[in-house]
Amino acid sequence: MHKSLLVLALLTSACVVPISETQEMKDARVPVVPANPCESKSTGKCNYINAPVVLQSKPIRLKDRPLPFFRTAREIEFVDARPNKWIAPRNTLTDGASIPKMFFKMIGAPRSKEFINAATLHDAYCGVGNENLPQYHSDIWQNVHRMFYDALRVDGTPATKAKIMYAAVYLAGPRWNMPGTAPKVRAVPGLMVVTAPLTKGPPNTPLPNLIPEDMLIKAMQEAILFINKTNPSLRRLEAYLRKSEQGMLAQVSKGAADGNQTSGPSESAAY
């Protein structure tokens, strides 16, 4: 285990109680073939084209964003195991992070070489400033966040770190509906496609717009403990995150019904 992750687990273990395991999570221990085949550096199925990302030199500052943005100088592609091709075209705007601001203290604001390719691809499909790209919201949010995990692993990010980063974008990254449209998802026998339901709320509503920031931070601390303790498969981790999400929404709904005051949406809710 990475030393920083071990320290974080020890510091938080005294005040954070991991979510109890459900039958769905136990069932998810049964391996599927393959639950997620992009678990190593580039292979015939999972690979980058025209990597690494090359950025233009001029920084761009966006309001309320902690890091400077840069435009890509050339297109970069990633092919996952479906196989589906993901493209970040030239002039894609990226800050090289993809991690929601509220989790920076726990995870950091990753901008190293092992993250920049995955973050740029992720930004092309859901990052601020890229709304005019044809790629933007062209697939369901679940698949876009899954692609981020796959791209991290193929680029050499260790599994534990990639799962923690994936949990961060799953819990507090952008979400969107595509009413009246069906994304082009190619099914492969044995390959699980993420089908977690959208949260209640208007289209494009990420969890930080529905759940107080302190609750999300606690959920992320619990997720880190769960990942470090159990080394879950991605399927099992997704089951855990769905339960975590449902529990938080139920808690917020109960508080509203009881008339309890809760803190408002996070300032970093707008991804």
Side-chain angles (χ1 to χ4, degrees):
M1 180 187 301
H2 193 278
K3 183 178 180 181
S4 63
L5 298 180
L6 176 60
V7 171
L8 178 60
L10 291 173
L11 288 174
T12 58
S13 60
C15 57
V16 177
V17 179
I19 293 175
S20 58
E21 192 172 45
T22 63
Q23 186 59 47
E24 179 187 14
M25 291 161 63
K26 291 178 181 177
D27 292 343
R29 292 182 180 182
V30 179
V32 293
V33 185
N36 193 306
C38 290
E39 288 288 2
S40 61
K41 292 190 176 182
S42 291
T43 64
K45 287 186 176 181
C46 303
N47 63 86
Y48 281 97
I49 301 170
N50 209 28
V53 167
V54 177
L55 300 176
Q56 299 176 30
S57 60
K58 182 180 178 181
I60 299 171
R61 288 285 181 178
L62 298 183
K63 184 179 178 181
D64 298 327
R65 303 294 294 194
L67 301 175
F69 283 71
F70 295 87
R71 295 194 181 277
T72 56
R74 67 184 186 190
E75 179 177 286
I76 182 174
E77 300 177 6
F78 175 70
V79 180
D80 66 19
R82 285 187 273 174
N84 190 54
K85 182 181 289 187
W86 304 84
I87 300 173
R90 186 177 184 275
N91 289 323
T92 295
L93 198 63
T94 182
D95 60 355
S98 276
I99 298 301
K101 181 181 177 181
M102 72 177 74
F103 298 146
F104 277 10
K105 289 183 179 180
M106 285 182 282
I107 302 174
R111 304 189 72 191
S112 71
K113 291 182 180 179
E114 68 176 315
F115 307 128
I116 185 65
N117 293 328
T120 300
L121 285 156
H122 194 251
D123 284 340
Y125 287 81
C126 59
V128 63
N130 292 313
E131 293 83 359
N132 293 326
L133 293 182
Q135 288 79 12
Y136 189 80
H137 288 186
S138 60
D139 203 338
I140 57 177
W141 65 266
Q142 296 95 331
N143 286 340
V144 171
H145 294 345
R146 168 68 73 84
M147 176 273 292
F148 178 59
Y149 174 84
D150 285 350
L152 285 170
R153 292 290 289 129
V154 172
D155 219 17
T157 303
T160 297
K161 183 69 173 179
K163 287 170 185 175
I164 289 173
M165 294 172 71
Y166 173 69
V169 297
Y170 187 102
L171 289 174
R175 300 185 176 194
W176 57 92
N177 293 324
M178 295 191 296
T181 64
K184 296 179 180 179
V185 178
R186 293 181 58 187
V188 174
L191 175 64
M192 185 185 70
V193 176
V194 186
T195 56
L198 289 165
T199 56
K200 297 178 181 178
N204 308 319
T205 304
L207 285 185
N209 288 94
L210 305 172
I211 296 173
E213 181 175 316
D214 57 350
M215 192 181 294
L216 278 166
I217 289 175
K218 183 174 183 291
M220 188 63 207
Q221 291 172 332
E222 293 171 342
I224 291 172
L225 286 178
F226 175 74
I227 292 166
N228 285 331
K229 182 179 179 180
T230 68
N231 187 28
S233 67
L234 206 63
R235 182 184 175 204
R236 187 180 173 205
L237 176 58
E238 286 163 349
Y240 173 93
L241 294 172
R242 285 195 293 272
K243 186 188 178 188
S244 177
E245 172 188 326
Q246 292 161 5
M248 287 187 290
L249 290 171
Q251 188 174 342
V252 169
S253 297
K254 184 178 185 301
D258 293 342
N260 295 334
Q261 294 290 327
T262 59
S263 57
S266 162
E267 292 180 0
S268 60
Y271 189 76

